[in-house]
Amino acid sequence: MFPFLHPDDIIVLQQDSIPKIGRVVLFRLHDGVITLKQLKHNGANFVLHALNPLLEDEIAAGSVVGYVVGIVRRNGQREWTDFDPSGLIP
């Protein structure tokens, strides 16, 4: 499986405070920390699922700032773009 994000990727966000399950969201935790994780629901709570498999899921305590709608990736002279206005899913 390829990683969803790579170092130096440029992400394009859509500002929206409405949770979108399955999408990669920019999330502000209650302590003010901003994180980029996939939003899931476990039947009782919203859960932030890390895109890095070495990190554990955590209960989403805070607010959605927006969601990822695009990625721009450069590799030498080549440029690759992925875009979906409804939000990208890893």
Side-chain angles (χ1 to χ4, degrees):
M1 185 169 138
F2 294 104
F4 182 69
L5 295 172
H6 294 260
D8 300 322
D9 279 356
I10 298 169
I11 60 169
V12 180
L13 297 166
Q14 173 65 49
Q15 186 176 357
D16 194 343
S17 61
I18 298 171
K20 295 191 182 302
I21 295 172
R23 304 307 191 260
V24 177
V25 297
L26 188 67
F27 196 87
R28 176 175 283 123
L29 300 169
H30 281 308
D31 61 4
V33 172
I34 300 286
T35 187
L36 191 70
K37 296 190 177 175
Q38 185 178 24
L39 188 65
K40 294 188 173 189
H41 199 277
N42 65 8
N45 299 300
F46 286 106
V47 175
L48 297 174
H49 176 71
L51 300 175
N52 179 341
L54 300 177
L55 300 176
E56 294 187 17
D57 292 351
E58 60 183 299
I59 299 298
S63 59
V64 174
V65 176
Y67 57 97
V68 177
V69 294
I71 299 172
V72 179
R73 182 170 298 148
R74 292 189 177 99
N75 186 0
Q77 297 295 324
R78 297 182 139 191
E79 186 172 274
W80 171 86
T81 303
D82 191 9
F83 178 79
D84 183 341
S86 66
L88 295 179
I89 300 174

